[in-house]
Amino acid sequence: MTNVATAPPTDQPPRSRAAGLTLLGPAFVAAIAYVDPGNVAANLTAGARYGYLLLWVLVAANASAVVVQYLSAKLGIVTGRSLPEMLGLRLRKPARLAFWGQAEIVAAATDVAEVIGGALAFHLLFGLPLLAGGVLTGAISMIVLAVQSRRGARPFEIVVTGMLAILTVGFCAGLFFTDPSPAGMLGGLVPRFEGSDSVVLAASMLGATVMPHAVYLHSALSRDRHGSTPAGPERRRVLHFTRWDVALALVVAGGVNVAMLVLAAATLQGVGGTDTIVGAQHAIESRLGAGVGVLFAVGLLASGLASTSVGCMAGAEIMRGLLHVRIPLLARRLITLVPALVLLGIGLDPTMLLVGSQVVLSFGIAFAVVPLVVYTSRRSIMGADANALVTRIVASAVAVVIVVLNVALVWLTFAG
């Protein structure tokens, strides 16, 4: 990597700044987790049931995600280790096994959502049965993972970023044919709930936005791309472009999530039969035209294919870091495909499975975020790049809010 010690970052010539753009990419892979099919289900449900009420949840969750994902990337860059590796080094064996168990449950819930999303997309586009669509989703995701295994990280990043562009167009196209309420959107930025169901749905939206497996994986992606960057001007340069990488990627992902909720609030609120993705897509198609409906289904397909590949990579990193066990990505893909196919095969409602999977994910967020904040705040681990006081306060506040919302979700669930 080029040493830029002779010129401060602010004085870099245009050519050097352009070269810095090649450092972008890992955050766009991680950002796929923020626009997966679980997000589609949660955002459409929120918009259709409550209009713009929960828009503030998306904005707050995305702002939190920027902080969390940057800390994850910084951990990998400064230490040369992923978050699962750091946990594996510091936890005793019983704690490591327990931590791995909950992380694998989270990874499994993630994979269920992503495969189901792909299956629904194939059903909407081609009329395939859900089980067949799930098998096809798994097969195509294996091809995507083969790119990473054989060609390396950069081609994989390009493929996944291309899918991110496709789903962005697919999910946002409907906004050009509808008329959202500016007053409703502004009102939706005021934090509030309407009953316990809205709290559960908010937790689902949080679980769909701040994704634990993306936190684990981003540190590994940054480690693989940059290694343990030596302290000094080069590390400052890498961290500078990493901040841009995270900000740009999550602005795109956050914008897509907001677009989905706004689209549902503007076109689906009060419309019958929109409590499922299939029903919502048909309603969008009937109100905004067949072309918009097709684009929505294409976006869902790109979301499912990309996110299931990224989720599989995250699961492999979790196992490698915590158990020190390596399983080839393609073999893991075959193994983790089974639960999703079983659920599709027995005929459970796919949209409810998607929303439920996001609630499961919300339980796993604290297990990823709390140790991340602790580790990146320790000078013994991060040296001079340990979190500054303001960062520690903001990151700690994010972790506390996540834990409190999850406790509320548990209470509401058991209280009925």
Side-chain angles (χ1 to χ4, degrees):
M1 194 172 287
T2 305
N3 192 324
V4 294
T6 58
T10 55
D11 297 329
Q12 288 178 346
R15 184 175 180 179
S16 182
R17 290 175 184 165
L21 296 177
T22 63
L23 300 176
L24 305 181
F28 284 84
V29 175
I32 283 292
Y34 291 83
V35 284
D36 76 350
N39 291 84
V40 180
N43 295 333
L44 291 180
T45 301
R49 288 185 187 174
Y50 297 103
Y52 303 100
L53 175 74
L54 298 178
L55 182 60
W56 67 272
V57 176
L58 287 181
V59 174
N62 204 70
S64 302
V66 171
V67 176
V68 170
Q69 293 302 143
Y70 174 67
L71 294 184
S72 178
K74 185 170 79 166
L75 180 71
I77 291 166
V78 173
T79 68
R81 297 184 185 278
S82 68
L83 179 57
E85 285 178 318
M86 298 296 289
L87 288 161
L89 289 172
R90 284 163 173 75
L91 296 178
R92 295 180 181 275
K93 187 174 182 179
R96 274 196 299 116
L97 292 175
F99 201 100
W100 170 77
Q102 66 81 26
E104 284 290 354
I105 291 173
V106 166
T110 301
D111 206 49
V112 165
E114 292 155 353
V115 173
I116 288 175
L120 283 170
F122 278 118
H123 174 71
L124 290 171
L125 288 169
F126 307 109
L128 290 180
L130 290 179
L131 183 58
V135 172
L136 191 55
T137 299
I140 296 176
S141 69
M142 291 183 70
I143 296 173
V144 176
L145 288 170
V147 172
Q148 195 274 343
S149 299
R150 297 178 184 178
R151 301 286 185 177
R154 194 59 177 168
F156 178 75
E157 289 174 5
I158 293 171
V159 170
V160 172
T161 302
M163 290 187 180
L164 178 61
I166 292 171
L167 69 88
T168 298
V169 173
F171 290 142
C172 296
L175 291 180
F176 293 98
F177 301 91
T178 190
D179 187 22
S181 166
M185 293 173 66
L186 285 174
L189 297 177
V190 178
R192 65 194 193 281
F193 296 104
E194 285 184 4
S196 59
D197 284 347
S198 66
V199 178
V200 174
L201 187 52
S204 176
M205 294 166 69
L206 177 67
T209 304
V210 185
M211 301 285 275
H213 74 286
V215 179
Y216 297 125
L217 180 62
H218 199 170
S219 56
L221 294 170
S222 297
R223 174 205 64 198
D224 294 343
R225 171 66 84 84
H226 307 297
S228 179
T229 308
E234 180 62 17
R235 181 182 291 176
R236 289 198 297 273
R237 175 175 177 267
V238 171
L239 290 174
H240 169 76
F241 281 101
T242 296
R243 285 191 288 271
W244 276 103
D245 191 29
V246 172
L248 291 172
L250 290 182
V251 163
V252 173
V256 172
N257 283 319
V258 168
M260 283 190 282
L261 186 145
V262 169
L263 179 65
T267 61
L268 303 181
Q269 190 176 13
V271 178
T274 58
D275 54 346
T276 67
I277 287 182
V278 173
Q281 191 267 352
H282 289 332
I284 291 171
E285 187 175 66
S286 65
R287 286 172 168 256
L288 304 179
V292 174
V294 169
L295 285 173
F296 180 88
V298 169
L300 181 63
L301 179 59
S303 170
L305 293 177
S307 57
T308 191
S309 303
V310 171
C312 188
M313 288 182 64
E317 179 60 31
I318 290 167
M319 178 173 284
R320 190 181 76 82
L322 287 166
L323 299 187
H324 313 301
V325 174
R326 288 181 179 270
I327 294 181
L329 278 176
L330 298 184
R332 183 179 175 88
R333 168 70 283 174
L334 284 173
I335 294 170
T336 57
L337 186 61
V338 173
L341 295 181
V342 169
L343 291 173
L344 286 173
I346 62 179
L348 296 179
D349 178 67
T351 301
M352 291 302 100
L353 287 173
L354 285 174
V355 174
S357 72
Q358 305 314 299
V359 175
V360 173
L361 289 178
S362 72
F363 286 102
I365 298 170
F367 290 98
V369 172
V370 171
L372 176 68
V373 173
V374 171
Y375 290 161
T376 54
S377 297
R378 288 182 178 172
R379 293 185 69 86
S380 60
I381 294 175
M382 303 293 289
D385 292 296
N387 295 335
L389 177 61
V390 173
T391 304
R392 289 201 302 272
I393 292 173
V394 172
S396 299
V398 169
V400 168
V401 169
I402 288 171
V403 171
V404 169
L405 188 55
N406 287 336
V407 170
L409 177 63
V410 173
W411 184 84
L412 287 169
T413 299
F414 285 99

